Amino acid sequence: MSQLDLGTVQQQPGRRRGRKQSKGCIPVLIAALVIAVIGGLLYVKGVDVVKGWVDGNKAAADYSGDGSGTVTIEVKEGQTATDIAHTLFDAGVVKSVNAFVDAATANPQSTSIQVGFYQLHEKMAAKNALDLILDTKVSMVSNPLTIPEGKRADEIVAAIAETGGFSEKSVQAAYDDTKALGLPSYAGDDPEGFLFPATYNIAPNATPASVLKAMVDEFKNRAAADKLEQGAADLGMSPYDVLTVASLVQAEASRPQDLAKVASVIYNRLDAGMPLQLDSTLHYAVDSRGVIGAGDLTQIDSPYNTYQNTGLPPTPIDSPGDDAINAALHPANTTYLYFVTINLRTGKTLFANTYAEHQQNVDILHQYCETSDEC
């Protein structure tokens, strides 16, 4: 037994020595690996330091002078100076991205570069390219389209065609493609009233569809700011009906101070079940404007004849602006049922609670028309 025990004891040191040798190799390998990693990092860092020193002491490739020819580039929303530099480089305006970035870094005004299209030149010095971009009166490509409040859809279509250099047929086709315009869900696939009146810049790459969609998008932005949907719900109406009221207010009120009062007349008549009796809806029905003359339009057969029909017309009759929309959302607190503009030049308007009072105001208009050629 003791010999067996001794033999066993004699074998154990040998096995332990083998394990000691393995453990001795692992630290060496780890140390070697650490040294290799550290060495690699030092090498990379050294390369970066050297490269940074070289780059910092080497001027970015750049052209000189103002260049030649014509190049149009676009600065988009959210772009940085580096993004713009890449656009300029790709268009052949600057010789290198770094040259423009350096110029922008040196000029604090570069943070105010506006979104839009710019007409520059090929092979420009980066500083000169930046200076020209900042001089928007010279370089920005501008083709403004101004749509006043109260314009009808057919008038807007014609204005887009004329200003944008499109055929009216192509603009009308884009107008008719209502799915592509992104109209609000409550619009009923009818753009009338949803082409917001404002000034738009028709870009060189614009299409009839993109211009119309920009107008619809602007309407949605303004409607959200005005809280149109919530305000309509507070009135117990649909957003579409409130927009229709706004279009009537826009067409009928001649002065800003009268917008909310005209809105109150419309709501008071609706509540009383009275026909609105608005000349503007008659003109919309026959595509005319002005004062109702001897050819009495009040007898025409049309859903827009608010002398014959009660309630609102089927659609908005124009594109109302913010003030008219807000007047429709927040009408004046009055009991007025009638109004008439008695001076077509100043837009002075008188309001009345009774028909007798209204007739007196109409007489004032007649007296005005006897001495004016504006009627």
Side-chain angles (χ1 to χ4, degrees), residues 11-353:
Q11 292 295 324
Q12 293 295 334
R15 286 197 294 272
R16 279 199 295 271
R17 278 197 299 272
R19 283 197 292 271
K20 283 182 180 180
Q21 289 173 354
S22 297
K23 287 182 179 179
C25 292
I26 291 173
V28 174
L29 291 173
I30 292 174
L33 180 60
V34 169
I35 292 172
V37 170
I38 293 174
L41 290 174
L42 289 174
Y43 171 78
V44 171
K45 184 65 177 176
V47 170
D48 287 343
V49 170
V50 173
K51 184 176 183 297
W53 181 85
V54 171
D55 290 345
N57 289 273
K58 181 180 71 174
D62 198 3
Y63 294 120
S64 61
D66 293 328
S68 61
T70 300
V71 178
T72 300
I73 63 101
E74 180 183 10
V75 173
K76 299 179 180 178
E77 187 74 38
Q79 284 193 318
T80 64
T82 302
D83 296 328
I84 298 171
H86 279 286
T87 299
L88 296 173
F89 175 75
D90 292 342
V93 176
V94 296
K95 194 169 187 178
S96 69
V97 169
N98 286 346
F100 186 82
V101 171
D102 291 346
T105 302
N107 189 339
Q109 292 183 354
S110 64
T111 59
S112 64
I113 293 177
Q114 299 178 32
V115 172
F117 286 83
Y118 294 85
Q119 195 170 85
L120 307 174
H121 311 294
E122 294 179 338
K123 298 183 179 180
M124 297 185 70
K127 179 182 180 303
N128 293 0
L130 175 61
D131 290 342
L132 187 54
I133 290 173
L134 292 173
D135 190 358
T136 56
K137 291 183 179 179
V138 175
S139 62
M140 183 170 276
V141 179
S142 179
N143 187 18
L145 167 66
T146 298
I147 304 298
E149 293 88 348
K151 287 295 183 182
R152 300 170 187 159
D154 58 345
E155 295 169 325
I156 296 174
V157 166
I160 293 173
E162 180 180 359
T163 304
F166 309 116
S167 70
E168 196 159 329
K169 183 178 179 180
S170 67
V171 182
Q172 187 62 51
Y175 177 89
D176 293 337
D177 186 10
T178 55
K179 296 296 184 185
L181 297 182
L183 292 167
S185 59
Y186 54 82
D189 289 332
D190 186 349
E192 184 73 88
F194 293 90
L195 306 177
F196 196 83
T199 296
Y200 301 87
N201 184 36
I202 300 183
N205 63 347
T207 64
S210 69
V211 177
L212 287 165
K213 189 175 186 306
M215 293 180 175
V216 173
D217 289 344
E218 185 63 17
F219 168 83
K220 291 191 288 189
N221 291 336
R222 300 299 185 95
D226 294 336
K227 296 182 173 60
L228 174 59
E229 294 189 50
Q230 181 59 55
D234 293 341
L235 291 170
M237 301 175 67
S238 70
Y240 191 78
D241 283 347
V242 171
L243 183 65
T244 299
V245 172
S247 74
L248 302 177
V249 170
Q250 189 72 73
E252 293 286 345
S254 301
R255 302 181 302 176
Q257 61 265 39
D258 294 328
L259 291 167
K261 288 186 284 188
V262 169
S264 75
V265 172
I266 293 172
Y267 286 123
N268 290 341
R269 280 181 163 260
L270 290 173
D271 290 342
M274 299 173 64
L276 296 179
Q277 296 182 318
L278 299 175
D279 291 358
S280 58
T281 62
L282 297 176
H283 283 298
Y284 183 81
V286 298
D287 195 21
S288 67
R289 287 189 180 274
V291 179
I292 300 297
D296 194 353
L297 296 178
T298 61
Q299 301 305 312
I300 64 172
D301 182 16
S302 169
Y304 292 91
N305 186 342
T306 53
Y307 281 82
Q308 301 291 335
N309 305 303
T310 57
L312 292 171
T315 69
I317 63 170
D318 58 47
S319 287
D322 269 323
D323 291 342
I325 292 174
N326 277 299
L329 288 170
H330 309 287
N333 184 16
T334 78
T335 56
Y336 294 143
L337 291 172
Y338 304 89
F339 66 89
V340 61
T341 300
I342 61 167
N343 187 312
L344 302 184
R345 181 175 54 82
T346 65
K348 183 177 181 180
T349 300
L350 298 180
F351 295 82
N353 292 305

